[in-house]
Structures are given as C-alpha cells and as structure tokens.
Amino acid sequence: MSSLPALLPADPEAPFPPAERALRQPDGLLAVGGDLSPARLLNAYRHGIFPWYSAGQPILWWCPDPRTVFATDHVRLSSKFRRSLRRCDWTVRADTAFAEVIEACARTPRPGQHGTWIIDDMRVAYQRMHALGYAHSFEVFDGERLVGGIYGIAVGRMFFGESMFSAQPGGSKVALAALAHHLDHWGWPLIDAQVENDHLLSLGAQRWPRRRFLETVADLRDQPELRGPWTARVGDWPARRLGITGDQAPAAD
C-alpha cells in the first residue's frame, strides 16, 4: 500500500482510486486535489468517498475503515428525552432552509475542533448540489426559529450525512431521528455518518468494516429514487411523534 494519497486528475469525470488503497494513517485518506464540481462529488459519494479538509489545505478525499453508520430503524433516543418530546411543539420540515442549516453547521463549535471544515467553497458546492436535487436538509423549528438541523447527500436510496447542529438542546437529535424515521418509511435502510464520535455512538451509530459499507452502497446507489426537494414529502411534521415508543429504537435513561 502506498504511503501517499493519490493525486486526482483535472477531469471531474475521472475515476477515484479503489477505496482499499486508502491510508491507514491518517485513517481513510485516499486522494488529494480535484474540485467540488457536481460530477466529482457524485462520483465520490457513489463510491463511498467524501471530501473533508480545512482552509489552506488542498481538497482531501476520505474512505475510512471502519465506517460509522446508522440503521434508519435504530436511532436511539433516551426514554427521558422521548417523554419530553411528547410535550414538544417543535416542527420538522425538509429542504426549506438548506442554506441556513449548512451555515449553522459551519458556525457550531465542535469539541476538539478549531474553526470549521465547512469553508466557503464547501458551502457553495453543497448548495449547488441542493439546487440540483441531490443535497437535502431536515430542519427543526420552534415556531419559525430554526433550532436544529442536519444535511447530506442522497444518491439512489443511500443517504450520506454531512453535519448537524443544535441551537437548542436536543435539536440535532430530533433532526437525525426525524430523518431516520422518514428514510426508514421510504425504504432507505442506512445513513452514512462517516467518522465515529461518542455522541454518534450514544445515538446508536454502528461501526461497519469498510468492505461491508462499500458493498451496501453499491447496492443502494442505483436503486431508483426521485430527485428534487423533499419538502412536500415531509410537510410540517410534529417532533412529538418521536416521543411515541416504537417510532425509533428507545434507549435506557
């Protein structure tokens, strides 16, 4: 295995190197360079690869092993949090505030992280993907105030989560659980969460070997699914429905 990542050619249609060539240290670094054009991004996600880099760096492309994922029927919310949601007036919508969600994700401080990897070029690229019908957001509103959200890329029936945020406690949990609930009901079994952390694991994230993840992506990416906004599919969905035991897998307090 090479000790250096591959250098991508200028052609956005050029294939990525096989994911198995990704470095062990840093885990999953596969390639450097290229651009964030829709063609390049779609090519990457279709092969389980995502961009992740900071200001001043070249574009870095990753496919770590293991891969962190959520089964859409197994996002865990504590019993205490579920009980609080039964009295909650929050509303969940989709694709009504994509730019606001990605901006909030960029502003939200992360433990152990200085600055943000969601730099201007990333925001522009994913807003372009949203306009093309590939990038989606789930938004949590308290009245008309945005209190949480999540965004990512949909290819076939595979959802690749990118980032989420909370402006009030529990906002990101509701966004993730509502996304998983709807995807499960639409027949989408998996959400990619990329790299593990304690918060994701507490919500039910699983570690999959890269090979298993890539085989699943290869099956789901070509399954038919309509592109475009999900706004009408979700409507104004009451977050209190997540407080009903059985909507998603409950966790102990």
Side-chain angles (χ1 to χ4, degrees):
M1 180 180 294
S2 171
S3 61
L4 295 174
L7 180 63
L8 291 183
D11 180 6
E13 304 282 354
F16 280 83
E20 291 76 10
R21 296 184 187 173
L23 304 185
R24 294 189 182 277
Q25 290 295 330
D27 178 34
L29 180 58
L30 177 66
V32 176
D35 55 36
L36 297 175
S37 65
R40 181 95 64 179
L41 286 171
L42 285 173
N43 189 10
Y45 284 104
R46 285 179 59 84
H47 293 89
I49 301 162
F50 60 89
W52 185 25
Y53 66 106
S54 300
Q57 293 181 323
I59 301 174
L60 305 177
W61 302 89
W62 303 79
C63 190
D65 187 13
R67 192 65 164 246
T68 304
V69 300
F70 285 97
T72 57
D73 63 352
H74 202 77
V75 171
R76 292 200 302 258
L77 301 177
S78 73
S79 299
K80 181 179 180 180
F81 186 61
R82 286 178 177 280
R83 288 194 296 271
S84 73
L85 288 177
R86 294 170 195 165
R87 304 182 299 276
C88 180
D89 293 328
W90 289 356
T91 300
V92 178
R93 300 169 188 155
D95 291 336
T96 68
F98 185 89
E100 291 87 344
V101 168
I102 195 171
E103 178 66 27
C105 288
R107 292 197 313 267
T108 299
R110 315 284 176 179
Q113 177 180 311
H114 302 286
T116 180
W117 58 270
I118 309 175
I119 59 178
D120 287 346
D121 287 350
M122 293 283 276
R123 289 198 288 270
V124 170
Y126 284 85
Q127 288 178 33
R128 185 183 302 122
M129 294 291 282
H130 176 64
L132 293 172
Y134 292 108
H136 301 278
S137 59
F138 262 58
E139 309 120 11
V140 184
F141 289 91
D142 182 1
E144 292 304 313
R145 183 189 172 207
L146 185 65
V147 297
I150 186 171
Y151 78 94
I153 298 289
V155 179
R157 293 195 179 186
M158 179 70 206
F159 191 87
F160 299 90
E162 280 295 317
S163 188
M164 57 186 181
F165 83 98
S166 291
Q168 287 189 17
S172 63
K173 292 181 185 179
V174 169
L176 171 64
L179 169 66
H181 168 89
H182 283 82
L183 292 178
D184 182 41
H185 280 259
W186 299 342
W188 300 44
L190 204 65
I191 298 171
D192 175 32
Q194 298 181 347
V195 179
E196 73 177 69
N197 60 46
D198 290 343
H199 179 58
L200 296 178
L201 295 175
S202 74
L203 293 171
Q206 306 169 28
R207 302 179 186 93
W208 278 20
R210 180 168 56 206
R211 180 181 297 275
R212 179 186 178 190
F213 173 76
L214 294 176
E215 288 173 350
T216 303
V217 169
D219 177 57
L220 294 174
R221 69 190 182 193
D222 293 323
Q223 294 190 21
E225 178 59 30
L226 293 175
R227 276 171 48 194
W230 290 351
T231 307
R233 299 180 74 174
V234 175
D236 287 346
W237 195 79
R240 63 178 175 271
R241 288 194 56 184
L242 293 170
I244 302 171
T245 301
D247 246 11
Q248 290 288 312
D253 289 335

